[in-house]
Amino acid sequence: MNEPSQRTLKSDETTQLVLKKTLDIVCGKWRLYIIFQLTDQACRYGELRRRIPQVSEKVLVQELKELVGLGVIEKTTYNETPPRVEYRLTERGRKVLPILLQLKTVGETFLEV
Amino acid sequence: MNEPSQRTLKSDETTQLVLKKTLDIVCGKWRLYIIFQLTDQACRYGELRRRIPQVSEKVLVQELKELVGLGVIEKTTYNETPPRVEYRLTERGRKVLPILLQLKTVGETFLEV
DNA sequence: TAAGTTACCCACCAAAAGGTTAGAATAAGC
DNA sequence: GCTTATTCTAACCTTTTGGTGGGTAACTTA
């Protein structure tokens, strides 16, 4: 077993800043749910609302905007009426998925406390 | 390249709950810093304060308490005066370290946006 | 006897995050 | 011409999170 050196982790100040930024991607109250909904298909705004009913409209819009800004998801607007807008994960966004899987297994060991 | 199945991720409702709980471990404003300080040695309360000077006393105490409650760190109180208290990562707590390392590499790809 | 040391607690305050409600634009369908 | 559908925006409020400044216990050292 080759554990990653912990010295590497602690080494530089910037590590912690990078990590904080990275965590921002996932740490909003609704971010995980949004990302999960988009794992295997694009999704319209209204569809997302229906699938995550507890989130308020405002916050959903706001979170989508920020995720777009972060480069995690992308937005396609079709000029139709009523309007149609689709959100999907970017390639970069897909890269967080395997890590979430691992985080989950770690999380499970904590639930047994 | 063997990408982990994304179906596995999305599968059950509980996955998202477990993940949310897991993220709680790391998502406080100061949690990362605390965890990093404890990666390779135990640390007294006052020492932590000095190493993370921006955090307020109250919040540090509070975060330490919660991390203890989550099973990420443990607290040893020595009956001396002035009091001496040491915090250290639990075995479980150590398990998050390698994932942080990976998270960091993913985060780096997002910084280039 | 007074001052210092350490790890806290408490009452209050400020800022950030999230929620509610109303409304606006636009064309289609009745 | 009134309603419906969709994706938002804006004003306002509540809750959560984090911060400040003071105080305390208990023994040591000056």
Side-chain angles (χ1 to χ4, degrees):
Chain A
M1 292 276 178
N2 224 332
E3 286 202 26
S5 137
Q6 281 144 21
R7 171 144 284 103
T8 317
L9 251 188
K10 216 192 150 187
S11 55
D12 48 315
E13 286 283 307
T14 62
T15 295
Q16 302 186 27
L17 295 176
V18 173
L19 270 175
K20 272 206 97 35
K21 284 240 176 194
T22 311
L23 287 173
D24 284 349
I25 294 170
V26 221
C27 280
K29 187 168 170 192
W30 301 104
R31 299 258 169 116
L32 271 184
Y33 300 95
I34 296 172
I35 291 173
F36 276 119
Q37 286 306 328
L38 301 177
T39 36
D40 32 41
Q41 341 104 15
C43 210
R44 297 181 59 172
Y45 171 79
E47 185 69 13
L48 282 171
R49 278 264 326 147
R50 258 166 278 133
R51 295 207 196 157
I52 315 172
Q54 305 93 329
V55 71
S56 69
E57 283 182 62
K58 189 199 80 172
V59 172
L60 181 53
V61 172
Q62 171 186 300
E63 296 296 84
L64 288 169
K65 247 183 215 163
E66 284 182 57
L67 287 171
V68 169
L70 286 165
V72 182
I73 65 178
E74 58 195 0
K75 174 179 176 174
T76 318
T77 306
Y78 300 90
N79 260 339
E80 306 174 359
T81 33
R84 181 158 69 99
V85 175
E86 279 186 1
Y87 295 92
R88 75 191 69 236
L89 283 180
T90 60
E91 280 210 23
R92 261 179 209 159
R94 300 207 155 271
K95 291 193 185 154
V96 304
L97 296 176
I99 299 208
L100 291 180
L101 204 67
Q102 288 188 280
L103 256 183
K104 190 196 157 194
T105 72
V106 171
E108 276 156 356
T109 82
F110 278 96
L111 293 186
E112 298 153 14
V113 178
Chain B
M1 294 275 177
N2 225 331
E3 287 199 29
S5 138
Q6 280 144 21
R7 170 144 286 103
T8 317
L9 252 187
K10 215 193 147 188
S11 55
D12 49 316
E13 286 283 307
T14 61
T15 295
Q16 304 187 24
L17 294 176
V18 173
L19 272 172
K20 272 208 98 33
K21 285 240 176 191
T22 311
L23 287 173
D24 285 349
I25 294 170
V26 219
C27 280
K29 187 167 171 190
W30 302 106
R31 300 257 169 116
L32 272 184
Y33 300 94
I34 296 172
I35 290 173
F36 277 119
Q37 286 306 329
L38 301 177
T39 38
D40 33 41
Q41 341 105 15
C43 209
R44 297 181 59 171
Y45 171 80
E47 185 68 13
L48 282 171
R49 279 258 338 145
R50 258 166 277 133
R51 295 206 196 157
I52 316 173
Q54 306 95 329
V55 72
S56 68
E57 281 184 64
K58 190 198 77 172
V59 172
L60 182 53
V61 172
Q62 170 186 300
E63 295 296 82
L64 287 170
K65 245 184 219 166
E66 285 182 54
L67 287 171
V68 169
L70 286 165
V72 181
I73 65 178
E74 59 195 359
K75 174 180 177 176
T76 317
T77 307
Y78 301 89
N79 261 341
E80 307 174 358
T81 32
R84 182 159 68 100
V85 175
E86 279 185 357
Y87 295 92
R88 75 191 70 238
L89 284 181
T90 60
E91 281 211 23
R92 261 179 209 160
R94 300 208 155 269
K95 291 193 183 156
V96 304
L97 297 174
I99 298 210
L100 291 179
L101 206 67
Q102 288 190 280
L103 255 184
K104 189 195 159 197
T105 72
V106 171
E108 277 157 356
T109 81
F110 279 94
L111 292 185
E112 299 153 10
V113 180

